[in-house]
Amino acid sequence: AESDCFCSDKGGKQFDPIGLMGHLKSLLEDKDKNVGPLKRTMHFAVHAYLMKLYSDYHKVGVGHKALYNMNTTEYKRAITEGQIFQNRLKEDALKNMRIAQDEKKELEKKSQESKEKMDGLEKSNKDLAKEMKALKELKEKFNVKDKVVREIKPAAMKRYRASFDNYWEDKRRFLDDIDDTKVDIDVPENFSIQDFFQKQLKNDTKIHKFCLRADNKIEEIKNEIRQNYERIHEEYDEEDDEKEINKKIVNFINTEEYGNIKKGYQDRMRNSPCLFLDIKSGSDEKGNDKWKDERNNFLRKWNIKYESVYSARGVKTGVEKLRGRNTRNRMARKDKLTEAEKDLLWEAERDGTAEDEGGPTRQFYSSIWKQLSELFVPVKYDGTVNDLKKATDFDEKKHGEFRDFKKSYTEFKVFEKVGSGFNKYYNPRSDDQIKNFINKIMNVKSAIKKNIESDDEGYDHPLLIDQEKEDWIEKIEKYYEAIGRMFLHAMLDKQEIISTSMIDLIRNAIFLSARPDDEECYCSADLMNSLKSLSEKDDYDNSVGKGYTFDNFFGDGDKEKITKESYPKYLQKRAKLMLDVTKSAINAMKKGVTLGGRFNIGHHLYGIPVEEVLVKFIFSSPKIEAEDLRAILRMKSVPKTGSLPEESTILHETQSRFFNCIMPEIISEWENFERIQFVTACTGHIAIPYIMSQEEDGDKENDFTITIEFNGNETSGDDDLPVFHTCVNTIKLPFTAYDASKEKFLLKLDKFYTFGGAEHFSRG
């Protein structure tokens, strides 16, 4: 439209657009020109065609400038719109260039990340191989044989599973209506275990205060009952009269007055997960009505309800949520969206949802296990930031950013990382670490108070300091006990716990009350594996056969020398020492798992083999092998209602190629974290749980599978994102199966993950 042109196909005179239109117009207006009829007709036709073609060149009603006479209003409008159009072209060109540059940078970044990941994986594999070799040599040196795992037949496995499930179902037998007495737990889409624990601690602290007021009132009434009885009966027989007094107290417990006194905190207890509340003991625990049994409040089912960050068209979906607060705010104001975000939002509103009826619970526990290592007990100080800096002797040159430095004073991480790779564990902190941290924060509090107040005698009184230290120990132990209750509820709800949550020595001590000398749980090889996972120094093993006694290392008075023959005993003592140094945390978590000793898993399930069976029922491995994931996939095809059979035949072949060829290839190429991401999106689990096979259970519905469903009714074509249904472990894809294209499928899957995906989708 802006290029020069010729009036004749033989070259002729060259015109710009304005000159061409003037030339055509002149032939039409000048009748005396020596132009033949045919030539004049052709020029007329070309003129009419160009007038029609370029009449809305810039926008409706504003044509190309060459269509108008110069200096007219129409001509000036065309010039103005032309400049706007040219500027828009330049902006689009610059935008496309920036997009191309950004894509190039992103590709370079991904390429570098991939290289770094491969380099890291290669290094990790070499390190792991080196560690495995060293461990093997150590076992050979001390003649330690690996445990021979017993083979459990399917029929026996079925019996064990029934016993295990019945044990946990029995714990809720006193709840009249399990589903009707659920505790609603509202979970934000971007779940944080830290926020969750702090919120529960705050709520349970309020409930505890209600409880104390009610208990004090009840004690006053009990004392009145006792005093009134003693006034009436002057001759006091301790045994007989105590029975009568207790009868009157029991009668009072069963009255409406007693129930009204307790109602305030009982109502609140029934709406709380009770992670941080104490369980009472004694006759007050139970009344005639089941709801008065306070223990049952700690066993209620949790109804996990995920909140939606953004709801498109009034329908709660998950993949419409962009990561990051700023982007989510823009999503709520559609006029501020970029074109790319609009496209993705439209897809999300139309296609992307992860429906769930059982998935929220699985996803909730999966998030807990993933974030467990980040949980900390927060510490707050009086005074300003400068007061804290002064009290901690902060030096920016020496310590760097204060934001990172202060965490060692304001956050007590309840777990620490030990080991590496898939031998990485998050173990509770030792008693010494707890005491040292408390001493540190007490010193800082004291220093801040001295800076703020001139008179600090009251604060520095030894009794007050000791009391505050005890309060801190109790608070930290409360966190561990709450974690134990999380473990308890996972087992009550038949949710597996990721095995790397803690090393097996600590794990078995908490769940099964097992000790290192328990031969049902451990052999020497097990203890060696556990101790090596802690990255212990070789000093222990290098000291064997050097004349040292057990007393030299453990201070237990055992004068026997440490030799190759006594090495199993040496391993047991080292493992016992490891448990003893974390006694506070272990006992607190054990208290949570057993509800203060009310349950004893190890005692009641003693007949079930530990390693071969019980551990499988409770824990799942964090590593998902490609062959394991491929083995649980199932294919399903749902043609569009009303479609002809011959229309589906060709697509069935495409679906089969995708399922049997493309998907296995993708799974093999994925790293472990990508397989976890996929399994989480499909099921809510971050691992493949142990579910009895059809051979073991004889029940087809009990086999754990993930279904890839090609659905012609719920999807419209290759532009659709995958749809995940965690309640039935299903991923629904377009009936076209993305033309069996690996690239198309991975692109759509990545878009789903980008908008929340495996960790941030709506679950019901």
Side-chain angles (χ1 to χ4, degrees), residues 503-518:
I503 201 167
D504 56 358
L505 278 170
I506 295 177
R507 186 186 71 196
N508 292 343
I510 294 169
F511 290 89
L512 306 172
S513 302
R515 299 293 292 177
D517 56 357
D518 187 341

Side-chain angles (χ1 to χ4, degrees), residues 632-689:
I632 64 173
L633 294 183
R634 301 291 183 270
M635 175 180 159
K636 184 178 180 181
S637 182
V638 181
K640 187 174 182 179
T641 303
S643 62
L644 298 174
E646 54 268 22
E647 294 176 353
S648 303
T649 302
I650 297 175
L651 289 176
H652 280 318
E653 295 176 359
T654 305
Q655 294 166 8
S656 296
R657 188 163 70 255
F658 178 90
F659 182 83
N660 295 314
C661 301
I662 303 302
M663 200 63 199
E665 180 182 336
I666 291 172
I667 292 172
S668 297
E669 293 174 354
W670 273 342
E671 298 293 339
N672 184 64
F673 81 92
E674 292 170 308
R675 289 193 280 269
I676 291 175
Q677 195 175 29
F678 179 75
V679 170
T680 303
C682 293
T683 69
H685 286 290
I686 57 173
I688 297 177

Side-chain angles (χ1 to χ4, degrees), residues 36-273:
L38 179 61
K39 192 172 184 179
R40 189 182 296 276
T41 301
M42 290 180 64
H43 279 68
F44 173 80
V46 171
H47 181 271
Y49 172 72
L50 292 176
M51 288 293 291
K52 177 67 175 176
L53 181 64
Y54 291 103
S55 61
D56 297 325
Y57 181 66
H58 294 301
K59 64 181 183 181
V60 176
V62 183
H64 193 282
K65 64 183 179 181
L67 306 185
Y68 311 111
N69 292 329
M70 296 180 68
N71 297 323
T72 62
T73 301
E74 291 83 359
Y75 179 81
K76 291 177 180 178
R77 282 186 66 192
I79 290 291
T80 301
E81 291 296 335
Q83 290 173 344
I84 294 173
F85 179 71
Q86 291 298 322
N87 291 337
R88 193 182 303 131
L89 287 176
K90 290 178 182 178
E91 289 176 1
D92 289 344
L94 289 172
K95 181 180 178 181
N96 291 332
M97 185 174 70
R98 285 195 296 268
I99 290 173
Q101 290 173 343
D102 290 343
E103 288 178 349
K104 182 181 178 183
K105 289 180 181 178
E106 186 64 25
L107 286 172
E108 290 174 349
K109 180 182 176 183
K110 287 186 176 181
S111 176
Q112 181 63 26
E113 288 175 351
S114 178
K115 183 178 181 302
E116 290 174 357
K117 185 171 70 174
M118 292 304 295
D119 291 344
L121 184 62
E122 184 178 353
K123 183 179 183 300
S124 297
N125 288 338
K126 287 181 179 178
D127 292 343
L128 183 60
K130 185 178 179 181
E131 291 175 10
M132 295 298 291
K133 182 181 178 182
L135 183 59
K136 182 180 179 182
E137 291 173 351
L138 194 63
K139 288 179 179 178
E140 291 174 352
K141 177 180 177 181
F142 295 110
N143 195 29
V144 173
K145 305 292 184 183
D146 284 325
K147 179 187 287 185
V148 178
V149 180
R150 290 171 290 178
E151 181 182 358
I152 307 297
K153 293 184 178 181
M157 188 67 82
K158 182 178 180 180
R159 289 197 305 272
Y160 291 140
R161 184 81 217 198
S163 297
F164 183 79
D165 291 343
N166 289 339
Y167 173 78
W168 291 113
E169 289 170 5
D170 181 65
K171 300 307 164 194
R172 284 175 168 157
R173 70 183 184 278
F174 293 115
L175 293 173
D176 289 335
D177 298 303
I178 293 177
D179 291 329
D180 292 340
T181 56
K182 287 181 179 179
V183 177
D184 289 339
I185 299 180
D186 293 324
V187 181
E189 188 67 28
N190 298 309
F191 175 78
S192 163
I193 187 175
Q194 187 63 43
D195 294 342
F196 176 71
F197 266 60
Q198 287 183 216
K199 178 182 176 181
Q200 298 308 320
L201 177 60
K202 183 178 179 180
N203 291 342
D204 286 349
T205 300
K206 290 180 181 178
I207 295 173
H208 180 64
K209 291 178 180 178
F210 273 93
C211 178
L212 287 178
R213 286 198 290 269
D215 286 349
N216 290 336
K217 179 66 176 175
I218 288 169
E219 285 302 315
E220 289 176 7
I221 295 175
K222 287 181 179 180
N223 288 332
E224 288 179 8
I225 291 173
R226 179 177 293 278
Q227 291 170 4
N228 290 336
Y229 184 89
E230 290 175 353
R231 276 198 300 269
I232 295 172
H233 302 82
E234 295 180 358
E235 295 183 5
Y236 184 76
D237 182 279
E238 183 174 354
E239 184 176 347
D240 291 340
D241 288 347
E242 278 298 317
K243 288 181 180 179
E244 290 300 317
I245 291 172
N246 286 333
K247 282 182 182 179
K248 291 182 178 294
I249 290 175
V250 169
N251 290 336
F252 162 67
I253 290 173
N254 292 322
T255 63
E256 185 177 351
E257 180 186 6
Y258 177 87
N260 289 335
I261 293 172
K262 282 201 166 189
K263 190 175 187 304
Y265 82 87
Q266 281 279 7
D267 288 345
R268 288 169 173 80
M269 282 184 72
R270 288 199 296 276
N271 294 316
S272 169

Side-chain angles (χ1 to χ4, degrees), residues 303-481:
N303 183 32
I304 309 300
K305 299 165 64 178
Y306 274 84
E307 300 170 354
S308 179
V309 176
Y310 174 79
S311 184
R313 298 177 184 171
V315 180
K316 289 184 179 181
T317 65
V319 294
E320 74 269 29
K321 306 170 188 67
L322 286 176
R323 289 174 179 159
R325 182 180 300 170
N326 293 334
T327 309
R328 287 199 301 274
N329 290 340
R330 290 205 308 277
M331 294 294 280
R333 305 188 304 272
K334 295 185 181 182
D335 57 313
K336 301 295 184 181
L337 293 179
T338 65
E339 290 302 319
E341 288 170 343
K342 286 180 181 178
D343 290 342
L344 290 174
L345 175 59
W346 179 77
E347 288 187 1
E349 289 175 332
R350 184 194 64 193
D351 309 315
T353 181
E355 300 175 4
D356 188 285
E357 294 173 357
T361 299
R362 294 196 292 266
Q363 182 65 25
F364 175 69
Y365 285 116
S366 293
S367 298
I368 292 290
W369 312 146
K370 287 175 71 174
Q371 298 183 34
L372 195 59
S373 62
E374 301 302 317
L375 184 64
F376 61 85
V377 181
V379 182
K380 291 184 179 180
Y381 297 93
D382 295 329
T384 65
V385 172
N386 287 331
D387 292 327
L388 182 57
K389 286 182 178 180
K390 187 175 180 180
T392 56
D393 296 325
F394 172 72
D395 184 340
E396 188 172 354
K397 292 182 179 179
K398 180 180 178 182
H399 300 123
E401 288 283 343
F402 181 68
R403 179 179 55 188
D404 298 324
F405 170 77
K406 73 174 183 178
K407 287 183 179 180
S408 62
Y409 292 89
T410 59
E411 299 178 4
F412 178 75
K413 286 284 189 73
V414 295
F415 290 94
E416 63 177 343
K417 174 186 169 183
V418 295
S420 60
F422 290 108
N423 289 321
K424 177 177 64 179
Y425 300 90
Y426 296 99
N427 283 345
R429 309 298 289 272
S430 69
D431 294 2
D432 285 342
Q433 287 175 321
I434 294 174
K435 290 176 182 177
N436 291 338
F437 180 80
I438 292 174
N439 287 333
K440 182 169 69 171
I441 65 173
M442 293 300 295
N443 291 336
V444 172
K445 281 176 175 283
S446 179
I448 290 176
K449 192 170 182 68
K450 287 177 182 177
N451 292 332
I452 296 175
E453 302 177 9
S454 57
D455 181 12
D456 58 342
E457 290 183 6
Y459 184 85
D460 286 336
H461 193 286
L463 291 179
L464 292 177
I465 293 176
D466 289 344
Q467 181 58 52
E468 187 165 356
K469 286 182 178 180
E470 290 298 321
D471 291 343
W472 272 107
I473 290 174
E474 182 180 354
K475 184 175 182 178
I476 291 172
E477 289 179 347
K478 277 289 183 185
Y479 267 72
Y480 284 117
E481 185 178 353

